[in-house]
Amino acid sequence: MSLQRIVRVSLEHPTSAVCVAGVETVVDIYGSVPEGTEMFEVYGTPGVDIYVSPNMERGRERADTRRWRFDATLEIIVVMNSPSNDLNDSHVQISYHSSHKPLPLAYAVLYLTCVDISLDCDLNCEGRQDRTFVDKRQWVWGPRGYGGILLVNCDRDDPSCGVQDNCDEHVRCLQDLEDMSVMVLRTQGPAALFDDHKLVLHTSSYDAERAQVFHVCGPEDMCEAYRHVLGQDKVSYEVPRFHGDEERFFVEGLSFPDAGFTGLISFHVTLLDDSNEDFSASPIFTDTVVFRVAPWIMTPSTLLPLEVYVCRVRNNTCFVDAVAELARKAGCKLTICPQAENRNDRWIQDEMELGYVQAPHKTFPVVFDSPRNGELQDFPYKRILGPDFGYVTREPRDRSVSGLDSFGNLEVSPPVVANGKEYPLGRILIGGNLPGSSGRRVTQVVRDFLHAQKVQPPVELFVDWLAVGHVDEFLSFVPAPDGKGFRMLLASPGACFKLFQEKRKCGHGRALLFQGVVDDERVRTISINQVLSNKDLINYNKFVQSCIDWNREVLKRELGLAECDIIDIPQLFKTERKKAMAFFPDLVNMLVLGKHLGIPKPFGPIIDGRCCLEEKVRSLLEPLGLHCTFIDDFTPYHMLHGEVHCGTNVRRKPFSFKWWNMVP
């Protein structure tokens, strides 16, 4: 980026100027003109390209091809492409002529010193088309785009440090540098030039609150060598030339994209002429680079699982054992939060969402801590935050949250194409209310954060009909070997009534639900006949089905789904305080670990020695190559209005697709 640089020449004495390699300098020859001047000639030493621009229509021509008629509208442009070896080692000479004089009326000389200055970062991200010449002031999305990428350095690489890495102005350990982006200032030209010129690295006060810069001022294997020079209250820094032609800086993000922050951050270096003691330094040239802060990215249940989290509480030993066995089959690491840390809060899905951040040089997981703040509230920060595991949270200032702010109400679809637009990282799904209604919604700060990430544009679904109010109560996604590579599972009262009607028609109307539920006197068995004759239950489930059908149409439209992409899972609901809750364990609220599914055991009617609900689910999912394991969560979870998915959480492998290659 070049400032408007105009140099005026004088007849009285030679003029000196500094130009930057590849940057145009306009030479003003009209300020001091000998009387009688009608024409002029311009010549330069080798390495100096001179052009004359007669007017906008004709463009520019090389100046040394002919004598030019003197016209104040002409513009003389000088360009040098190679840095000088010494001060004033090139020059431009202008001779003024009259048709009445055989010799020039006068000469003006402009001595030039060329310096090459460039502020650079990794513009050509992995997988993008190589670009030799790009506008570094821009950040362009897509496979043909360019621009630097910053990670929010929100992990804690030094376990002995009490805060996240980007919460202070120090490099605590060398591993911390791996989470930063490199920015390089290169200068070529005579060293003597910097006796009375200086380079200043600077940014805006707005950007200084969102990123910070460390200058390498010594041996790179020493933490003390990294001087904090920009960020927080520091907006400019005069760059000393420690390493001659090249100075290295490390840049870290402080804030994720959010309301009022697009994620773009600019840094500039300006060459200042400080040769005149009577005046303030004047700018000669500014170069700029733009970074985009990498978004926080969610992972759908169809991605490869890496680690499963579950809480151990006083009455869920068998449940934890079943999850552990499923994790073993799927080849996942298992992390158990002990009761001393969870204080009997078992809803680890509601407490946090596990995603990641990615730059060309580094990828690491980041936990998004929900604002629900139950007894598990310290677990994400105290136990998950650590080396190469970041942390972020959003809480409303007034701390007013509802059940919808738990992250069972935060899911993401697999990659989809909808309405002609690709979503290679899927779309976030959050639960709210019907358009225009005044019911419960996710708190504004969380919605603002999710929308600002841009790469997984959220879709808001209708969940206020549910007592708990989470999207995972009526939908989930499982991998599939065909079609779009997945199926969306939707809870379906209609499918359940149809199944029960079929079983009654076959003579199994007396088969009982809830047989075998252990140690819970609050549960009474009920037969298929009783279910099908309960008009209140039937009518209420018609209402529930209409709510799910509303969401079905939204999901088909916003995710580009067809009916063949959806599987209806039999499920009934009951009413409590005019809101819906699962009548039997909610089958879609499952744990998906690759091909292994941990499904709530429904305790459905036993027919020919088998649960007909389990058999129906198997018949729907096992043809996709999936393995169904039914986990008894009745007493420790279902009776507390949650299921298997609510009580577990999964860290998954990041997408292979790089987010910067998409076009939001």
Side-chain angles (χ1 to χ4, degrees), residues 342-353:
N342 63 54
R343 292 168 288 193
N344 229 43
D345 183 353
R346 66 203 70 201
W347 309 116
I348 198 164
Q349 180 66 227
D350 289 342
E351 183 59 39
M352 62 188 191
E353 186 68 41

Side-chain angles (χ1 to χ4, degrees), residues 471-490:
V471 292
D472 69 351
E473 295 179 78
F474 66 90
L475 71 81
S476 61
F477 296 91
V478 296
D482 56 2
K484 293 181 173 65
F486 68 89
R487 296 289 191 277
M488 181 174 71
L489 311 185
L490 287 181

Side-chain angles (χ1 to χ4, degrees), residues 119-137:
L119 187 63
D120 295 311
C121 62
D122 178 15
L123 294 174
N124 296 307
C125 301
E126 177 186 342
R128 295 183 176 201
Q129 181 178 352
D130 182 50
R131 297 292 186 86
T132 304
F133 300 102
V134 297
D135 184 354
K136 295 187 293 183
R137 297 168 296 175

Side-chain angles (χ1 to χ4, degrees), residues 175-405:
Q175 289 75 19
D176 191 18
L177 299 170
E178 297 174 5
D179 304 334
M180 302 187 195
S181 296
V182 176
M183 184 169 65
V184 181
L185 172 59
R186 296 183 175 91
T187 58
Q188 287 183 284
L193 175 72
F194 295 97
D195 293 342
D196 54 12
H197 290 72
K198 59 185 179 182
L199 290 166
V200 175
L201 187 69
H202 55 103
T203 189
S204 68
S205 57
Y206 180 88
D207 286 353
E209 295 177 356
R210 292 160 177 81
Q212 58 188 8
V213 179
F214 297 87
H215 184 198
V216 184
C217 300
E220 294 196 11
D221 59 351
M222 297 177 59
C223 292
E224 297 77 12
Y226 299 88
R227 176 190 298 173
H228 181 264
V229 297
L230 290 182
Q232 308 294 357
D233 58 342
K234 299 175 183 176
V235 296
S236 65
Y237 171 63
E238 183 177 340
V239 183
R241 302 180 79 232
F242 288 118
H243 303 97
D245 294 345
E246 184 173 294
E247 298 295 327
R248 282 164 55 84
F249 301 87
F250 285 81
V251 189
E252 67 179 2
L254 302 179
S255 301
F256 281 97
D258 212 327
F261 175 42
T262 64
L264 294 178
I265 293 174
S266 298
F267 294 103
H268 321 274
V269 65
T270 296
L271 176 64
L272 295 172
D273 183 350
D274 200 25
S275 60
N276 193 322
E277 296 180 358
D278 297 328
F279 301 99
S280 60
S282 59
I284 295 174
F285 169 79
T286 297
D287 200 20
T288 297
V289 294
V290 176
F291 289 93
R292 183 176 290 279
V293 175
W296 178 77
I297 301 173
M298 287 183 65
T299 53
S301 57
T302 50
L303 286 178
L304 183 71
L306 300 175
E307 184 174 8
V308 178
Y309 295 83
V310 66
C311 292
R312 189 183 297 282
V313 294
R314 62 176 177 264
N315 65 341
N316 76 338
T317 299
C318 293
F319 177 85
V320 172
D321 291 345
V323 170
E325 176 61 18
L326 195 70
R328 185 194 66 78
K329 290 179 180 178
C332 298
K333 177 182 176 182
L334 178 68
T335 295
I336 299 175
C337 175
Q339 188 172 355
E341 293 181 18
N342 63 54
R343 292 168 288 193
N344 229 43
D345 183 353
R346 66 203 70 201
W347 309 116
I348 198 164
Q349 180 66 227
D350 289 342
E351 183 59 39
M352 62 188 191
E353 186 68 41
L354 297 162
Y356 68 95
V357 294
Q358 185 173 53
H361 64 281
K362 184 69 178 285
T363 302
F364 61 83
V366 175
V367 58
F368 185 11
D369 190 359
S370 81
R372 75 182 277 266
N373 290 341
E375 296 300 316
L376 268 170
Q377 64 177 324
D378 295 333
F379 180 73
Y381 191 85
K382 290 186 175 180
R383 299 290 291 179
I384 294 184
L385 171 63
D388 287 341
F389 212 131
Y391 172 93
V392 65
T393 190
R394 289 292 181 273
E395 293 190 17
R397 290 183 179 179
D398 60 4
R399 299 189 179 276
S400 59
V401 297
S402 72
L404 272 64
D405 295 307

Side-chain angles (χ1 to χ4, degrees), residues 470-524:
H470 294 175
V471 292
D472 69 351
E473 295 179 78
F474 66 90
L475 71 81
S476 61
F477 296 91
V478 296
D482 56 2
K484 293 181 173 65
F486 68 89
R487 296 289 191 277
M488 181 174 71
L489 311 185
L490 287 181
S492 174
C496 189
F497 283 126
K498 181 181 179 182
L499 175 66
F500 284 181
Q501 288 164 353
E502 291 173 353
K503 298 305 178 184
R504 182 175 65 177
K505 188 176 181 179
C506 293
H508 302 294
R510 295 182 179 181
L512 298 175
L513 285 83
F514 306 131
Q515 267 191 319
V517 175
V518 179
D519 299 329
D520 204 317
E521 297 177 355
R522 295 171 292 176
V523 180
R524 295 182 179 180

